[in-house]
Amino acid sequence: MSVGTLLRRNKSMFAVIKSGGRQYKVSVGDKLEVNRLAVEEGAQLRIGEVLLISSDDNTFVGAPFVEKAEVLATVEGHTRGEKLIVFKYKSKKRYRHRRGHRQELTVLRIDDVFAEGKSLVSKEK
């Protein structure tokens, strides 16, 4: 069975992970931008902070994290977010302060979701 067939069949499968103080809903094959992580491009990353896993036949809810659950991701690169302008202004006081900000990001591709030691995509250990 090809990976494309597995992805189409498991479209309703997803996981909620925590990274950098934020929560993300991810599925296999998704690309995700998270706050900059100190890992090299092309490296595989195991994210152990999984809050919820839902598939066709069952759901695992963590308290706060699901035990023996991991999400496997590959680092595709490092980038920067779009520029945001922070403008502070006080009326009648001639106070204007303009500052820009660009967030440092890491782009991840979600490869697999593991629950209780076995893959939910290929159903193998």
Side-chain angles (χ1 to χ4, degrees):
M1 192 177 304
S2 70
V3 175
T5 306
L6 287 172
L7 291 177
R8 273 185 256 115
R9 199 169 75 187
N10 292 321
K11 200 62 174 167
S12 63
M13 182 195 65
F14 67 91
V16 177
I17 62 170
K18 181 179 174 184
S19 176
R22 297 180 183 171
Q23 297 176 5
Y24 302 95
K25 179 183 173 185
V26 296
S27 298
V28 175
D30 286 353
K31 285 191 179 182
L32 178 67
E33 290 182 344
V34 297
N35 286 344
R36 180 69 58 103
L37 300 172
V39 288
E40 297 178 10
E41 288 187 29
Q44 279 206 327
L45 182 68
R46 291 186 179 271
I47 301 170
E49 294 183 330
V50 180
L51 302 166
L52 179 130
I53 296 176
S54 178
S55 63
D56 294 334
D57 49 352
N58 52 8
T59 300
F60 302 100
V61 179
F65 302 117
V66 179
E67 291 184 30
K68 300 178 186 172
E70 290 181 334
V71 173
L72 190 65
T74 303
V75 177
E76 291 205 336
H78 300 289
T79 185
R80 297 175 77 193
E82 64 180 64
K83 186 163 189 172
L84 301 175
I85 303 299
V86 180
F87 189 76
K88 295 181 180 179
Y89 171 78
K90 295 190 180 186
S91 63
K92 302 175 192 164
K93 301 296 179 195
R94 293 188 180 179
Y95 175 78
R96 290 165 183 80
H97 193 86
R98 183 177 185 260
R99 178 177 291 169
H101 174 76
R102 289 185 74 179
Q103 186 69 37
E104 302 285 328
L105 301 172
T106 298
V107 180
L108 301 176
R109 185 183 70 244
I110 305 300
D111 296 328
D112 206 348
V113 177
F114 293 97
E116 297 179 347
K118 68 178 188 179
S119 170
L120 294 180
V121 174
S122 61
K123 306 293 184 194
E124 298 174 0
K125 286 198 173 194

